[in-house]
Amino acid sequence: MKMIPSNSDTTKGNWLDRIYGLILKTAGFMEKLVALILLGAVVYGCVKLGMAAFDVGQGDLPSYMEELLALAFNVIIVIEFIRMLVKHSMNTIVEVLIFAIARGLVVEHEEPLRALLRIAAIAALLACRKFLFCEHDFEDE
């Protein structure tokens, strides 16, 4: 014997569905707002990167290159993070992680074991991307 839900049960479920939908819409809006704020920071970072690229005369060349690479990687990582906030795909998440780990390899000078662990982490992420992702993970690329 099937029970027919009373009117109060459907009203209660409808009310909870509305709250749930409102929470999801608010969270989506906040993500887009954070992405917009970060986009402003990327524009500022690009301007700063452009100014730093032409400021060769100050200081020694190795420290200049390290600073320039660190700034460039920071801008790239934030751009990828914005893509991750907007697109919500596994591919963008893996790309953000790869860029963040690669930044540590290129910019920071660390002991060989830590560098080897970073390389292994990048290799693991690339293997996951190649063998574990489905076709729909690469849609809209």
Side-chain angles (χ1 to χ4, degrees):
M1 178 175 188
K2 289 186 178 179
M3 292 189 63
I4 300 173
S6 67
N7 195 16
S8 64
D9 288 343
T10 57
T11 306
K12 182 179 178 183
N14 193 13
W15 183 75
L16 289 175
D17 288 341
R18 285 184 188 170
I19 290 177
Y20 181 71
L22 180 66
I23 290 171
L24 286 178
K25 286 181 182 179
T26 304
F29 173 75
M30 295 302 287
E31 282 181 339
K32 304 301 187 272
L33 183 64
V34 168
L36 187 65
I37 291 169
L38 288 174
L39 193 60
V42 165
V43 170
Y44 172 74
C46 286
V47 168
K48 191 173 175 182
L49 179 64
M51 290 173 25
F54 295 109
D55 193 22
V56 181
Q58 306 213 357
D60 58 326
L61 189 62
S63 66
Y64 165 76
M65 289 302 294
E66 285 179 27
E67 198 174 303
L68 192 63
L69 281 173
L71 189 56
F73 262 108
N74 288 340
V75 169
I76 291 169
I77 290 170
V78 173
I79 290 170
E80 289 297 320
F81 187 73
I82 291 170
R83 284 185 55 218
M84 183 184 75
L85 284 175
V86 173
K87 291 180 74 173
H88 295 128
S89 73
M90 289 303 294
N91 193 33
T92 56
I93 293 170
V94 170
E95 285 179 1
V96 168
L97 291 172
I98 288 172
F99 278 119
I101 295 169
R103 180 198 182 279
L105 274 173
V106 173
V107 175
E108 298 171 10
H109 300 291
E110 48 194 26
E111 59 268 5
L113 181 61
R114 183 167 278 190
L116 181 64
L117 288 175
R118 286 183 188 265
I119 292 169
I122 290 174
L125 286 170
L126 290 173
C128 287
R129 185 175 170 189
K130 179 166 178 74
F131 297 113
L132 299 179
F133 281 14
C134 301
E135 286 297 320
H136 66 86
D137 291 328
F138 295 103
E139 291 176 356
D140 299 330
E141 288 294 316

